[in-house]
Amino acid sequence: MEYKVALIPGDGIGPEIIDGAVKVLEKIGGIYGHDFRFTSYLAGGCAIDATGKPLPEETLEGCLASDSVMLGAVGGPKWDTLPGDIRPEKALLGLRKELGLYTNLRPAKIQPALADACVLRKDIAERGFDILIVRELTGGIYFGERGRRDKNGVEEAYDTEKYDVNEIERVARVAFESARKRRGKVTSIDKANVLETSRLWRETVHRIGEEYPDVELADMLVDNAAMQLVRDPSAFDVVVTSNMFGDILSDEASQVTGSIGLLASASLGATTRGMYEPIHGSAPDIAGTDKANPIATILSAAMMLRYSFDLGEEADCIERAVEKVLLDGWRTSDICEADRAGEAIGCREMTEKILEALGR
Ligand code: IPM
Ligand code: MN
């Protein structure tokens, strides 16, 4: 089979980690007989520099004409002072919206080899955890009305949290369907004690939940969830939440796994075309130094195979190779124990190790 993959390396460490994922996909293609056709496009800060726009039309058209999209990361201090609508992040939000990617799956799972890197107490880390965060991605405060205005001579800024029933229903369904394939539990996270959007969220999730009597549904307030995630992450299976709460909680969940450099994500909509990216950012401080951890991006490529191309066996193969390399003791600096810091390997070498493990 031939698959057209649009690549958006972006800024900072983006090009280095995308390079690792491409090598892994090429190798998997060779083993299983698939032909991945890659085309690179500009988005983010590099696109602003080259074209004046964070998301050039050519990039959007290229993504729409592809079977799937892989993105590295966008943003950096160079573009931090630009006005909101021409910031690099606008590219990411634009792609999510224009490609209709309303669900973001962010699995946070402890790698057995990295229980020691987990920041939690040993007994909690050893209990293990495997959480799937289902984040709403094209609504809420990220896309509500915002602006500045004058209020009796005082400058005021506002952002609006807004959800309609359809937006909540479709992401809730994804959560319930995912739970059915896992441990059968959904925790819906909101702030229903304060926010009206959360009350509609809660009502709607419960109504959809009635269609899934085999799935256990619990509600949790977001402040409590932030606490429970570090107190006992093993209590969660599928978590479903709004765009902003999902953004915040997924960073927290990632750090609990050991490093944000390990967590992959899949952004999905109504078609099989998804966008796959690590949950971390462009890490400008280490860009170009070969220090980035390519694992989150390589695992995102595995998610692409599974969710967009229905190549579950190939995806498993990549995930096993990553696990193997970690069990063999290879570490990039973000996951290296302090007393072994000198032994950390770089982005390129980590990619090489994973390629070798795939070959076996
Ligand atoms: C993420 C990022 C983005 C978000 C930023 C870069 C706009 O933090 O993918 O989690 O907030 O969604
Ligand atoms: Mn984030």
Side-chain angles (χ1 to χ4, degrees):
M1 271 292 278
E2 191 186 300
Y3 300 97
K4 274 193 265 173
V5 180
L7 297 177
I8 304 186
D11 308 315
I13 59 172
E16 304 164 49
I17 54 181
I18 283 289
D19 192 54
V22 165
K23 289 197 173 110
V24 166
L25 286 169
E26 278 171 344
K27 175 115 190 202
I28 278 284
I31 298 173
Y32 287 90
H34 307 301
D35 189 5
F36 299 107
R37 297 281 166 93
F38 300 104
T39 313
S40 290
Y41 296 96
L42 292 177
C46 58
I48 297 172
D49 289 350
T51 71
K53 295 179 191 166
L55 181 56
E57 285 85 29
E58 197 199 331
T59 300
L60 186 57
E61 280 158 24
C63 292
L64 285 166
S66 301
D67 298 314
S68 203
V69 182
M70 288 228 49
L71 186 139
V74 295
K78 181 172 174 198
W79 307 281
D80 265 350
T81 50
L82 290 172
D85 52 341
I86 52 165
R87 285 182 60 103
E89 290 78 3
K90 197 75 189 164
L92 200 50
L93 301 180
L95 282 164
R96 291 171 179 170
K97 196 69 169 179
E98 298 297 328
L99 299 176
L101 306 172
Y102 57 81
T103 304
N104 186 210
L105 302 181
R106 299 190 157 186
K109 186 174 159 179
I110 194 154
Q111 290 275 351
L114 293 178
D116 283 345
C118 177
V119 291
L120 300 179
R121 231 170 45 217
K122 201 161 184 273
D123 59 308
I124 303 176
E126 280 170 354
R127 219 177 291 153
F129 58 88
D130 178 359
I131 306 172
L132 178 65
I133 297 183
V134 178
R135 169 188 179 195
E136 198 292 324
L137 203 61
T138 50
I141 199 165
Y142 273 55
F143 292 93
E145 202 187 317
R146 65 169 53 87
R148 302 235 181 159
R149 59 193 165 203
D150 176 89
K151 197 182 146 197
N152 306 326
V154 180
E155 189 183 18
E156 180 177 79
Y158 60 96
D159 298 274
T160 322
E161 171 82 343
K162 172 176 72 64
Y163 271 113
D164 70 37
V165 168
N166 298 334
E167 289 171 316
I168 304 169
E169 278 185 2
R170 61 190 183 183
V171 73
R173 284 215 164 78
V174 175
F176 287 111
E177 294 289 341
S178 308
R180 270 196 176 153
K181 295 185 206 136
R182 294 166 48 97
R183 301 191 303 283
K185 182 172 175 192
V186 170
T187 307
S188 171
I189 295 176
D190 61 36
K191 187 72 185 169
N193 54 348
V194 178
L195 305 176
E196 199 52 39
T197 39
S198 282
R199 293 192 268 268
L200 182 65
W201 180 277
R202 199 177 271 212
E203 271 164 47
T204 308
V205 172
H206 278 265
R207 185 160 41 71
I208 299 301
E210 285 166 17
E211 296 169 27
Y212 299 85
D214 50 317
V215 177
E216 185 193 332
L217 170 62
D219 301 301
M220 196 177 275
L221 295 173
V222 64
D223 47 351
N224 184 27
M227 178 175 75
Q228 299 302 335
L229 265 176
V230 289
R231 198 186 69 87
D232 183 14
S234 74
F236 294 96
D237 177 16
V238 173
V239 161
V240 63
T241 192
S242 64
N243 204 342
M244 186 155 75
F245 294 161
D247 177 43
I248 298 168
L249 293 176
S250 58
D251 268 35
E252 185 188 1
S254 75
Q255 191 55 48
V256 168
T257 67
S259 167
I260 197 167
L262 299 169
L263 287 222
S265 89
S267 302
L268 309 170
T271 70
T272 56
R273 188 195 314 106
M275 185 160 77
Y276 299 84
E277 52 173 313
I279 83 154
H280 61 69
S282 59
D285 53 323
I286 56 165
T289 64
D290 192 39
K291 279 209 185 94
N293 185 349
I295 290 180
T297 315
I298 289 172
L299 292 176
S300 301
M303 290 186 91
M304 175 176 81
L305 298 183
R306 180 172 294 121
Y307 291 103
S308 281
F309 304 153
D310 200 20
L311 300 174
E313 192 181 323
E314 290 82 340
D316 288 346
C317 181
I318 295 177
E319 287 165 2
R320 273 199 310 272
V322 167
E323 232 168 85
K324 165 98 178 57
V325 166
L326 293 173
L327 280 169
D328 284 350
W330 298 105
R331 301 282 184 270
T332 40
S333 53
D334 56 317
I335 47 174
C336 199
E337 296 83 353
D339 57 335
R340 293 181 45 202
E343 296 166 34
I345 60 174
C347 183
R348 275 195 293 268
E349 205 179 343
M350 180 55 97
T351 303
E352 281 308 316
K353 296 293 170 201
I354 294 168
L355 291 171
E356 276 167 34
L358 280 173
R360 276 178 264 159

